[in-house]
Coordinates of all heavy atoms in Angstrom, one line a residue:
F1 N 0.8 -1.2 0.0 CA 0.0 0.0 0.0 C 0.8 1.3 0.0 O 1.9 1.4 0.7 CB -0.9 0.0 1.2 CG -2.1 -1.1 1.2 CD1 -1.7 -2.3 1.7 CD2 -3.2 -0.8 0.8 CE1 -2.5 -3.3 1.8 CE2 -4.2 -1.9 0.8 CZ -3.8 -3.2 1.3
T2 N 0.4 2.2 -0.8 CA 0.8 3.6 -0.6 C -0.1 4.3 0.5 O -1.1 3.7 0.9 CB 0.7 4.4 -1.9 OG1 -0.7 4.5 -2.3 CG2 1.5 3.9 -3.1
V3 N 0.3 5.5 0.9 CA -0.6 6.1 1.9 C -2.0 6.4 1.3 O -3.0 6.2 2.0 CB 0.0 7.6 2.2 CG1 -0.9 8.3 3.2 CG2 1.3 7.3 2.9
E4 N -2.1 6.8 0.2 CA -3.3 7.1 -0.6 C -4.2 5.9 -0.7 O -5.4 5.9 -0.4 CB -3.0 7.8 -1.9 CG -2.5 9.1 -1.9 CD -1.0 9.1 -1.7 OE1 -0.3 7.9 -1.7 OE2 -0.3 10.0 -1.4
R5 N -3.6 4.8 -1.1 CA -4.4 3.5 -1.3 C -4.8 3.0 0.0 O -6.0 2.6 0.2 CB -3.4 2.5 -1.9 CG -3.9 1.1 -2.0 CD -5.2 1.0 -2.9 NE -5.6 -0.4 -3.0 CZ -7.0 -0.7 -3.1 NH1 -7.9 0.2 -3.5 NH2 -7.2 -2.1 -3.2
L6 N -4.0 3.0 1.0 CA -4.4 2.5 2.4 C -5.5 3.4 2.9 O -6.5 2.9 3.5 CB -3.3 2.5 3.3 CG -3.4 2.0 4.7 CD1 -4.0 0.6 4.8 CD2 -2.3 2.2 5.6
E7 N -5.5 4.7 2.8 CA -6.5 5.6 3.2 C -7.8 5.3 2.5 O -8.8 5.3 3.2 CB -6.1 7.0 3.0 CG -7.0 8.1 3.6 CD -6.4 9.5 3.5 OE1 -6.0 9.9 2.3 OE2 -6.5 10.2 4.5
R8 N -7.8 5.1 1.2 CA -9.1 4.9 0.5 C -9.7 3.6 1.0 O -10.9 3.4 1.0 CB -8.8 4.7 -1.0 CG -8.6 6.1 -1.8 CD -8.8 5.9 -3.3 NE -7.8 4.8 -3.9 CZ -6.5 5.1 -4.3 NH1 -6.1 6.4 -4.2 NH2 -5.8 4.2 -4.8
V9 N -8.9 2.5 1.2 CA -9.5 1.2 1.7 C -10.1 1.4 3.0 O -11.2 1.0 3.4 CB -8.3 0.2 1.7 CG1 -8.8 -1.2 2.4 CG2 -7.9 -0.2 0.3
L10 N -9.3 2.0 4.0 CA -9.8 2.1 5.4 C -10.9 2.9 5.6 O -11.8 2.8 6.3 CB -8.7 2.6 6.3 CG -7.5 1.5 6.4 CD1 -6.4 2.1 7.2 CD2 -8.0 0.3 7.0
K11 N -11.1 4.1 4.7 CA -12.2 5.1 4.8 C -13.6 4.5 4.4 O -14.5 5.0 4.7 CB -11.9 6.3 4.0 CG -11.1 7.4 4.6 CD -11.0 8.7 4.0 CE -10.3 9.7 4.7 NZ -10.1 11.1 4.0
K12 N -13.5 3.4 3.8 CA -14.8 2.8 3.4 C -15.4 2.2 4.6 O -16.7 1.9 4.6 CB -14.5 1.6 2.3 CG -13.9 2.1 1.0 CD -13.7 1.0 0.0 CE -13.3 1.4 -1.3 NZ -12.9 0.2 -2.2
I13 N -14.7 1.9 5.6 CA -15.1 1.3 6.7 C -15.0 2.1 8.0 O -15.9 2.0 8.9 CB -14.3 -0.2 7.0 CG1 -14.1 -1.0 5.8 CG2 -14.9 -0.9 8.2 CD1 -15.3 -1.5 5.3
F14 N -14.1 2.8 8.2 CA -13.8 3.7 9.4 C -13.8 5.1 9.0 O -13.0 5.6 8.2 CB -12.5 3.2 10.0 CG -12.3 1.9 10.6 CD1 -11.8 1.0 9.7 CD2 -12.8 1.5 11.8 CE1 -11.7 -0.4 10.0 CE2 -12.7 0.2 12.2 CZ -12.1 -0.8 11.3
I15 N -14.7 5.9 9.7 CA -14.7 7.3 9.4 C -13.6 8.1 10.0 O -13.1 8.9 9.4 CB -16.0 7.8 10.0 CG1 -17.2 7.1 9.3 CG2 -16.2 9.4 9.9 CD1 -18.7 7.6 9.9
E16 N -13.2 7.7 11.3 CA -12.1 8.4 11.9 C -10.9 7.7 11.6 O -10.7 6.5 12.1 CB -12.3 8.6 13.4 CG -11.5 9.6 14.1 CD -12.1 9.9 15.4 OE1 -13.2 9.7 15.8 OE2 -11.2 10.3 16.3
L17 N -9.8 8.3 11.1 CA -8.6 7.6 10.6 C -7.4 8.6 10.6 O -7.5 9.7 10.3 CB -8.9 7.1 9.2 CG -7.8 6.6 8.3 CD1 -7.2 5.3 9.0 CD2 -8.2 6.4 6.9
K18 N -6.3 8.0 11.1 CA -5.0 8.7 10.9 C -3.9 7.8 10.4 O -3.8 6.7 11.0 CB -4.6 9.3 12.3 CG -3.3 10.1 12.4 CD -3.2 11.0 13.6 CE -2.8 10.1 14.8 NZ -2.4 10.9 15.9
I19 N -3.1 8.3 9.6 CA -1.9 7.4 9.1 C -0.7 8.2 9.2 O -0.6 9.4 8.9 CB -2.1 7.1 7.6 CG1 -3.4 6.3 7.3 CG2 -0.9 6.4 7.1 CD1 -3.7 6.0 5.9
E20 N 0.3 7.5 9.8 CA 1.7 7.9 10.0 C 2.7 7.1 9.5 O 2.4 5.9 9.1 CB 2.0 8.3 11.6 CG 1.1 9.3 12.1 CD 1.3 9.7 13.6 OE1 2.1 8.9 14.2 OE2 0.9 10.6 14.0
G21 N 4.0 7.5 9.4 CA 4.9 6.7 8.8 C 5.9 6.2 9.9 O 6.2 6.9 10.8
I22 N 6.4 5.0 9.8 CA 7.2 4.3 10.8 C 8.7 4.5 10.2 O 9.0 3.9 9.1 CB 7.0 2.9 11.0 CG1 5.6 2.8 11.7 CG2 8.2 2.3 12.0 CD1 5.2 1.3 11.9
H23 N 9.5 5.3 10.9 CA 10.8 5.5 10.5 C 11.9 4.8 11.5 O 11.4 4.5 12.6 CB 11.2 7.0 10.4 CG 10.8 7.6 9.1 ND1 11.6 7.9 8.0 CD2 9.5 8.2 8.8 CE1 10.9 8.4 7.0 NE2 9.7 8.6 7.4
A24 N 13.1 4.7 11.1 CA 14.1 4.2 12.0 C 15.5 5.1 11.7 O 15.5 5.9 10.9 CB 14.4 2.7 11.6
K25 N 16.3 4.8 12.6 CA 17.6 5.6 12.5 C 18.3 5.2 11.3 O 17.9 4.2 10.5 CB 18.6 5.1 13.6 CG 18.1 5.8 15.0 CD 19.2 5.5 16.1 CE 18.7 6.3 17.3 NZ 19.7 5.9 18.4
T26 N 19.0 6.2 10.7 CA 19.6 6.0 9.3 C 20.3 4.6 9.0 O 20.0 4.1 7.9 CB 20.6 7.1 8.9 OG1 19.8 8.4 9.2 CG2 21.0 7.1 7.5
W27 N 21.1 4.1 9.9 CA 21.7 2.9 9.6 C 20.8 1.9 9.5 O 21.1 0.8 8.7 CB 22.7 2.7 10.8 CG 22.3 2.3 12.2 CD1 21.9 3.1 13.1 CD2 21.9 1.0 12.7 NE1 21.4 2.5 14.2 CE2 21.5 1.2 14.1 CE3 22.0 -0.2 12.1 CZ2 21.1 0.0 14.8 CZ3 21.6 -1.4 13.0 CH2 21.2 -1.2 14.3
I28 N 19.6 1.8 10.2 CA 18.7 0.8 10.1 C 18.0 0.8 8.7 O 17.8 -0.2 8.0 CB 17.6 0.7 11.2 CG1 18.3 0.5 12.6 CG2 16.4 -0.2 11.0 CD1 17.4 0.6 13.8
E29 N 17.5 2.0 8.4 CA 17.0 2.2 7.1 C 17.8 2.0 5.9 O 17.4 1.3 4.9 CB 16.4 3.6 7.0 CG 15.3 3.9 8.0 CD 14.5 5.2 7.6 OE1 14.8 5.9 6.7 OE2 13.4 5.5 8.2
N30 N 19.1 2.1 6.0 CA 20.1 1.7 5.0 C 20.2 0.3 4.8 O 20.3 -0.3 3.7 CB 21.4 2.4 5.2 CG 21.5 3.9 5.0 OD1 20.6 4.4 4.3 ND2 22.4 4.6 5.6
I31 N 20.1 -0.5 5.9 CA 20.1 -2.0 5.9 C 18.9 -2.5 5.1 O 18.9 -3.4 4.3 CB 20.1 -2.6 7.2 CG1 21.5 -2.3 8.0 CG2 19.9 -4.0 7.2 CD1 21.5 -2.7 9.5
E32 N 17.7 -1.8 5.5 CA 16.5 -2.3 4.8 C 16.5 -2.0 3.3 O 16.1 -2.7 2.6 CB 15.3 -1.7 5.6 CG 13.9 -2.1 4.9 CD 13.6 -3.5 5.1 OE1 14.4 -4.3 5.6 OE2 12.5 -3.9 4.7
K33 N 17.1 -0.8 3.0 CA 17.1 -0.4 1.5 C 18.0 -1.3 0.7 O 17.6 -1.8 -0.4 CB 17.7 1.0 1.5 CG 16.6 2.1 1.8 CD 17.3 3.5 1.7 CE 16.4 4.7 2.2 NZ 17.0 5.8 2.2
E34 N 19.1 -1.7 1.5 CA 20.1 -2.6 0.8 C 19.3 -4.1 0.7 O 19.5 -4.7 -0.4 CB 21.2 -2.9 1.6 CG 22.2 -3.9 1.0 CD 23.4 -4.0 1.9 OE1 23.6 -3.2 2.8 OE2 24.2 -5.0 1.7
R35 N 18.6 -4.4 1.5 CA 17.9 -5.8 1.5 C 16.9 -5.9 0.4 O 16.6 -6.9 -0.2 CB 17.2 -6.0 2.9 CG 16.6 -7.4 2.9 CD 15.8 -7.7 4.3 NE 14.6 -6.8 4.4 CZ 13.5 -7.2 3.9 NH1 13.3 -8.5 3.4 NH2 12.4 -6.6 3.9
I36 N 16.2 -4.7 0.2 CA 15.0 -4.8 -0.7 C 15.2 -4.2 -2.1 O 14.4 -4.4 -3.1 CB 13.8 -4.0 -0.1 CG1 14.1 -2.5 0.1 CG2 13.3 -4.6 1.2 CD1 13.0 -1.7 0.5

């Protein structure tokens, strides 16, 4: 899901909704970028 896609799916069922992003320290995000 992108933010927009997730929001569209959830708004069909739940009126009250908030979406945030989960970040990590740079060294962790770099490991994940390398992995994927």
Side-chain angles (χ1 to χ4, degrees):
F1 296 85
T2 61
V3 179
E4 295 78 14
R5 170 67 179 154
L6 182 60
E7 187 174 48
R8 282 198 302 273
V9 169
L10 295 177
K11 273 189 172 179
K12 294 177 182 178
I13 312 298
F14 299 94
I15 297 174
E16 199 169 331
L17 167 67
K18 179 170 70 171
I19 298 177
E20 297 186 344
I22 300 176
H23 279 266
K25 288 186 176 178
T26 302
W27 69 271
I28 296 175
E29 292 196 352
N30 287 341
I31 290 171
E32 182 64 357
K33 286 176 183 176
E34 181 183 347
R35 185 184 73 85
I36 64 178

